Amino acid sequence: MSLAIAQRLTEERVRAREQAKTIIDAAEGREFTAEEDQSLARIDTDLNELESRIGDILDAERRAQDLDAKLATYRPTVDPSRPRDEATELRSWLRGEGGKTFEVERRDVLKTSTGAPVPTSFYDQLVVHMVHVGPMLELSTVLNTASGENMQIPRTTAFSTSAITAEGAAISESDPTFGAFVTLGAYKYSHLVQVSREMIEDQGVDVVGFLAENTGTSLGVKVNTDLTVGTGSSQPRGITLDTTLGVTGSASVAGAFTADNLIDLVYSVNQAYRRQPRCAWQMRDAAIASVRKLKDSQNRYLFEPSLQAGQPDNLLGFPLYSNPDVAAPALSAKSVIFGLMPKYYVRQAGAVRLDRSDEFAFNADLITFRATMRVDGALVDTTGAVKHFIGNAA
């Protein structure tokens, strides 16, 4: 490569000399013009520069040839008194130089080896376990209010009684009966979640989105529990608290129900309620599993699976909802609820809130999320709109 460059520069030098000779021959017998002087000066400068570059290239080429000749005859010796540079010797051996023999310890390199350069992949979606919240907010009558002061709900417990009256006789007075007000407050359900700022900033998944989902699930699970079995003392009156007894199970089956028990429970509820479109069943999964095995006298299953996605299954012609907070079949347990579910009223004050504070745990650099929901509930119609089956206490 260097010699080729030197050859090209030599050719340029020859051409420059020819240009100078042409100018000199043209001015023979007279003085050079100013333009010819300038051209000759430029050509002379170019010739000097070319001479210098050609000389440098040829000198470098000669030095390289001399070095190669010396390396070809050189055989290094190892001084046993000097420490071995095993890394250098191994590299030389791998290049096929020196004819050395090494005893090499062989190890298999596995991706499980400590420090193995194998990256760890990360799935950027959080796999969230699932919890069945329950149907109480879906089936009940929900009253949404902006504030949470006590709300009184009026109700009746009896209608007027009519009778046949003889001609000219006085008509008897019969007034409808009003029950005591049902008062709904607004119990506050809440929790705090604290997350380090580093986790928010370095997150590999949508942490804030998960926290929002977590809030809805956590509040929903607790609210459904209290709306189902709440005692009414510092918590809502759960629907099972004020339902009317419809059927008591047989003492011979230790709290379980039979097909006849369920049929009797349906007809223990007044037809005025049964004919409403939102009359339904509520049981937990263990009870529903038992229901699916029940047959009538014609050997037909009482349970009718839904043929449409998202719609509830049916039992004796009424929709069946799974509620994990209804008691399991047992002695003295209200394990089946049937009736007009919208007669249970839920009062929700304001919206579900998820607030964020960067200052609450400022000293620990934690971001605090606070979830709140204000709810109360009670069965307003306690005259038999919703009834229950109870396992025999014997």
Side-chain angles (χ1 to χ4, degrees):
M1 184 67 180
S2 298
L3 292 177
I5 295 174
Q7 179 64 32
R8 180 176 58 80
L9 293 176
T10 300
E11 293 172 355
E12 289 182 11
R13 185 180 63 176
V14 170
R15 286 194 294 270
R17 291 176 64 85
E18 290 294 333
Q19 291 175 3
K21 185 176 181 301
T22 300
I23 294 173
I24 293 171
D25 290 344
E28 185 177 358
R30 62 174 174 83
E31 296 292 332
F32 293 112
T33 64
E35 183 179 354
E36 289 172 336
D37 279 337
Q38 291 178 358
S39 297
L40 288 172
R42 176 177 53 78
I43 292 172
D44 186 60
T45 301
D46 292 343
L47 287 171
N48 291 334
E49 182 178 348
L50 290 170
E51 289 283 355
S52 177
R53 292 178 61 189
I54 292 171
D56 292 342
I57 292 173
L58 294 177
D59 288 343
E61 185 66 24
R62 281 194 296 271
R63 287 194 297 270
Q65 291 176 356
D66 291 343
L67 180 59
D68 289 341
K70 291 179 180 179
L71 288 176
T73 60
Y74 176 70
R75 292 292 182 268
T77 58
V78 178
D79 185 354
S81 64
R82 299 178 60 187
R84 295 176 62 193
D85 185 353
E86 294 183 352
T88 301
E89 292 183 13
L90 180 59
R91 291 190 185 95
S92 176
W93 177 71
L94 291 173
R95 290 195 299 266
E97 301 172 356
K100 297 180 177 65
T101 301
F102 287 91
E103 292 184 2
V104 180
E105 180 182 359
R106 294 175 174 82
R107 298 182 182 178
D108 292 332
V109 180
L110 307 176
K111 68 178 183 179
T112 55
S113 302
T114 302
V118 179
T120 299
S121 297
F122 185 80
Y123 182 53
D124 62 357
Q125 298 292 324
L126 185 63
V127 180
V128 181
H129 74 287
M130 302 179 71
V131 176
H132 178 46
V133 173
M136 286 303 298
L137 289 174
E138 175 186 356
L139 301 179
S140 306
T141 298
V142 179
L143 306 175
N144 291 288
T145 60
S147 54
E149 72 278 2
N150 283 347
M151 171 186 288
Q152 292 183 327
I153 301 179
R155 57 178 178 161
T156 63
T157 57
F159 292 108
S160 298
T161 301
S162 298
I164 297 176
T165 304
E167 183 180 358
I171 298 176
S172 301
E173 179 182 356
S174 180
D175 298 323
T177 304
F178 292 90
F181 290 118
V182 173
T183 302
L184 296 179
Y187 296 102
K188 183 165 67 176
Y189 293 80
S190 58
H191 67 266
L192 293 178
V193 176
Q194 290 187 319
V195 183
S196 69
R197 184 174 301 278
E198 291 84 351
M199 184 173 183
I200 295 294
E201 293 177 350
D202 303 341
Q203 60 184 332
V205 296
D206 183 8
V207 174
V208 176
F210 163 70
L211 292 177
E213 181 180 351
N214 170 73
T215 294
T217 301
S218 175
L219 293 176
V221 167
K222 177 57 177 172
V223 167
N224 188 83
T225 298
D226 288 352
L227 297 183
T228 304
V229 295
T231 63
S233 176
S234 301
Q235 58 185 250
R237 295 183 67 86
I239 190 171
T240 59
L241 184 64
D242 292 324
T243 55
T244 305
L245 175 62
V247 176
T248 300
S250 171
S252 62
V253 291
F257 49 77
T258 63
D260 288 345
N261 290 150
L262 298 180
I263 294 172
D264 290 341
L265 182 58
V266 169
Y267 288 95
S268 70
V269 174
N270 189 287
Q271 181 180 183
Y273 296 119
R274 293 201 316 269
R275 293 176 62 183
Q276 299 301 312
R278 296 180 66 186
C279 189
W281 303 87
Q282 287 193 58
M283 307 177 200
R284 67 164 49 206
D285 282 352
I288 294 176
S290 299
V291 165
R292 296 198 63 162
K293 303 169 188 175
L294 296 178
K295 300 178 182 179
D296 62 15
S297 59
Q298 302 298 317
N299 206 35
R300 295 173 300 190
Y301 286 103
L302 304 184
F303 180 89
E304 301 172 19
S306 173
L307 300 179
Q308 184 176 352
Q311 295 301 311
D313 300 317
N314 281 270
L315 174 60
L316 297 173
F318 297 94
L320 171 61
Y321 291 89
S322 173
N323 186 338
D325 295 306
V326 175
L331 298 177
S332 302
K334 299 177 182 179
S335 57
V336 181
I337 301 173
F338 175 78
L340 188 57
M341 299 302 165
K343 290 298 182 178
Y344 185 87
Y345 277 58
V346 175
R347 189 273 185 89
Q348 180 176 339
V352 177
R353 295 187 55 179
L354 179 60
D355 301 310
R356 167 176 171 160
S357 173
D358 289 15
E359 290 77 31
F360 178 73
F362 181 80
N363 64 327
D365 198 23
L366 296 176
I367 297 174
T368 304
F369 294 90
R370 180 186 64 196
T372 56
M373 181 180 186
R374 300 177 68 194
V375 175
D376 195 6
L379 183 61
V380 174
D381 188 342
T382 57
T383 62
V386 184
K387 294 192 175 184
H388 64 260
F389 165 86
I390 190 168
N392 198 299

